[in-house]
């Protein structure tokens, strides 16, 4: 339609022509922009590699170095991260490779911020191939979780390298490794409020509360959500599991390591009894009441979702209790036959589990609750899981 024909048209026909034009054009505009108003999952982003701008949320898995290679430790650069819909994802086919340009590297590069692994981030950018793999390039926004976008120089919070506790609570430890780091963390964590064994009941009802049901707690090995009021010693009740078995050092339930909530968790009475004082290792027979757990004569393997939790609790106990305050010097080793000695194994498995299962929202909330409401100290390996390797290699 040229301009002359529009001029000579009757008003009714002109209006109809305009309406028709709007009707035809509008879908093209919406389809073509595909704006970042709706946040995509990683799976959706991988299926939409068409150059559109989009916002994607996922969990940081590691650093991509090739089309089908993502490293999860010993990072070499701050230029790229791989994200997925599940923090435990292992298939690169289900990961989105995100370019980290210069303005975001201080906050979102893994070489600078290794503790970002396992954390949820949201990034806005162009959906296009990166490393010849489904990717998001030229980010215009990056933030932790699904919240608002910080400035490009903002540091990860509340935990991780550069977090707010680094300049305050961890001021004496940041930048150290090996025995120096261990010594500093011991000095920091031993300043705490000591609970009674009865107080532990109430603490666990707070620290291990089910995020989906405030009347329940989540059992550590079983993964079951159970009423807070069903604590006790009866069948199918929950009781207080000492992750560092109290016989490994013979500290019992007296105030101190026996009441330290950083390693005490709710667990089904019979599963707690089955674990007993066994060391941690892989393999064995399945545990009927705790799907994903295994046990044999001298070891216990927790389910995948809490392997890292168990590891970080054990490592906390080792740096908190060094034998200088009237309690045994607790130490992890690579044995599964420690008996009543103040040792617990296997350190090689614990370090691997710490790498495999990074801290999640539940574990981070738990650490914060213990710090704010109960003991006044933190588990450093929840805030900085990379410190485990910095101490034990």
């Amino acid at each position: 339609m040229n301009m002359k024909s529009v001029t000579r048209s009757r008003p009714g026909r002109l209006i109809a022509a305009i309406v028709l034009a709007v009707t035809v054009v509008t879908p093209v505009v919406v389809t073509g922009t595909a704006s970042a108003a709706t946040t995509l999952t990683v799976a959706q982003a991988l299926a939409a590699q068409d150059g559109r701008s989009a916002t994607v949320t996922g969990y940081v898995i590691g650093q991509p170095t090739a089309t089908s290679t993502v490293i999860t430790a010993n990072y070499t650069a701050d230029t790229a991260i791989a994200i997925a819909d599940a923090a435990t994802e292992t298939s690169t086919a289900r990961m989105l490779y995100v370019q980290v340009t210069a303005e975001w590297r201080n906050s979102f590069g893994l070489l600078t911020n290794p503790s970002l692994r396992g954390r949820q981030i949201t990034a806005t950018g162009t959906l296009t191939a990166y490393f010849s793999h489904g990717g998001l390039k030229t980010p215009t926004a990056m933030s932790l979780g699904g919240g608002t976008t910080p400035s490009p120089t903002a540091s990860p919070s509340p935990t991780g390298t550069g977090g707010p506790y680094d300049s305050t609570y961890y001021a004496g430890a940041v930048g150290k490794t090996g025995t120096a780091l261990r010594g500093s963390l011991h000095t920091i964590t031993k300043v705490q409020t000591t609970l009674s064994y009865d107080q532990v009941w109430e603490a666990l009802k707070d620290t291990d509360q089910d995020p989906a049901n405030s009347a329940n707690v989540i059992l550590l090995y079983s993964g079951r959500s159970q009423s807070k009021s069903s604590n006790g010693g009866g069948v199918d009740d929950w009781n207080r599991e000492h992750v560092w078995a109290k016989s490994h050092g013979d500290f019992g339930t007296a105030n101190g390591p026996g009441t330290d909530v950083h390693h005490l968790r709710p667990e089904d009475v019979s599963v707690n009894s089955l674990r007993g004082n066994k060391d941690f290792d892989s393999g064995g027979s399945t545990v009927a009441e705790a799907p994903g757990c295994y046990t044999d004569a001298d070891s216990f393997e927790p389910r995948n979702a809490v392997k890292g939790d168990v590891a970080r609790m054990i490592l906390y106990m080792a740096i908190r209790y060094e034998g200088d305050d009237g309690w045994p010097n607790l130490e992890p080793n690579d044995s599964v036959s420690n008996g009543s000695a103040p040792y617990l194994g296997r350190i090689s498995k614990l370090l691997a589990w710490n790498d495999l299962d990074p801290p999640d929202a539940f574990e981070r909330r738990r650490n914060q609750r213990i710090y704010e409401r109960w003991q006044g100290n933190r588990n450093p390996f929840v805030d900085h899981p990379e410190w485990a390797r910095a101490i034990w290699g």
Side-chain angles (χ1 to χ4, degrees):
M1 178 182 293
N2 57 33
M3 202 57 201
K4 289 182 180 179
S5 64
V6 171
T7 303
R8 291 195 297 267
S9 299
R10 295 180 181 176
R13 291 179 180 176
L14 177 56
I15 293 171
I18 293 171
V19 172
L20 176 60
V22 172
T23 303
V24 171
V25 171
T26 300
V28 176
V29 172
V30 173
T31 302
T33 57
S35 72
T38 300
T39 301
L40 304 180
T41 65
V42 168
Q44 290 169 332
L46 288 170
Q49 294 289 297
D50 56 4
R52 73 179 72 177
S53 175
T55 298
V56 185
T57 294
Y59 293 91
V60 177
I61 304 300
Q63 175 196 343
T65 57
T67 302
S68 58
T69 304
V70 172
I71 59 176
T72 57
N74 301 316
Y75 305 112
T76 60
D78 284 329
T79 53
I81 55 176
I83 65 174
D85 287 327
T88 56
E89 184 59 66
T90 58
S91 172
T92 57
R94 290 188 288 272
M95 298 178 193
L96 184 74
Y97 291 1
V98 178
Q99 182 183 32
V100 182
T101 48
E103 65 266 39
W104 302 105
R105 289 171 190 164
N106 183 57
S107 298
F108 294 93
L110 279 169
L111 180 62
T112 301
N113 306 285
S115 62
L116 278 176
R117 182 170 181 263
R119 300 194 68 186
Q120 189 181 54
I121 72 155
T122 298
T124 302
T126 303
L127 295 180
T128 188
Y130 189 37
F131 286 88
S132 300
H133 181 97
L136 183 148
K137 295 181 69 174
T138 320
T140 58
M142 298 185 77
S143 62
L144 289 172
T148 56
T149 303
S151 64
T153 57
S155 297
S157 170
T159 58
T161 302
Y165 294 111
D166 283 7
S167 61
T168 53
Y169 188 75
Y170 294 122
V174 171
K176 297 180 180 179
T177 60
T179 55
L181 175 59
R182 179 171 183 159
S184 294
L185 293 179
H186 172 62
T187 299
I188 292 166
T189 58
K190 73 178 182 179
V191 179
Q192 71 178 91
T193 298
T194 302
L195 305 180
S196 70
Y197 202 45
D198 282 341
Q199 286 177 303
V200 169
W201 286 121
E202 295 309 310
L204 293 181
K205 292 174 184 178
D206 176 29
T207 61
D208 290 70
Q209 179 175 293
D210 183 348
N213 185 347
S214 61
N216 287 10
V217 291
I218 299 292
L219 307 188
L220 176 63
Y221 305 131
S222 309
R224 189 169 75 237
S225 178
Q226 184 155 326
S227 171
K228 290 178 178 179
S229 63
S230 64
N231 60 299
V235 175
D236 291 329
D237 282 349
W238 65 268
N239 60 5
R240 298 157 290 188
E241 153 71 340
H242 292 74
V243 178
W244 185 293
K246 56 184 180 288
S247 65
H248 289 242
D250 195 28
F251 52 75
T253 59
N255 298 3
T259 64
D260 195 316
V261 185
H262 276 299
H263 87 114
L264 289 164
R265 299 291 291 267
E267 186 48 66
D268 176 270
V269 168
S270 57
V271 175
N272 192 348
S273 177
L274 182 65
R275 186 261 158 151
N277 68 349
K278 295 174 183 177
D279 295 274
F280 292 102
D281 198 2
S282 296
S285 303
T286 58
V287 178
E289 290 189 78
C293 296
Y294 300 88
T295 190
D296 57 21
D298 56 15
S299 70
F300 188 89
E301 177 182 356
R303 57 194 175 96
N304 289 342
V306 297
K307 277 184 166 68
D309 306 52
V310 167
R312 287 179 284 273
M313 285 185 278
I314 297 303
L315 300 181
Y316 160 83
M317 293 292 282
I319 60 104
R320 166 61 187 89
Y321 298 99
E322 296 280 21
D324 60 355
D325 53 2
W327 299 110
N329 180 10
L330 306 182
E331 190 66 32
N333 63 11
D334 218 33
S335 174
V336 291
S337 56
N338 285 300
S340 61
Y343 305 114
L344 199 146
R346 302 178 53 189
I347 183 62
S348 59
K349 287 294 181 182
L350 297 172
L351 291 174
W353 292 349
N354 176 59
D355 294 338
L356 174 70
D357 173 36
D360 58 15
F362 184 93
E363 191 179 0
R364 290 194 296 269
R365 176 194 175 277
R366 187 176 199 276
N367 196 29
Q368 189 68 17
R369 274 291 203 271
I370 295 173
Y371 176 64
E372 291 179 343
R373 298 186 177 187
W374 297 99
Q375 293 185 180
N377 69 343
R378 305 182 67 83
N379 182 334
F381 304 106
V382 176
D383 294 326
H384 284 279
E386 74 278 7
W387 279 349
R389 292 287 184 183
I391 294 174
W392 285 280

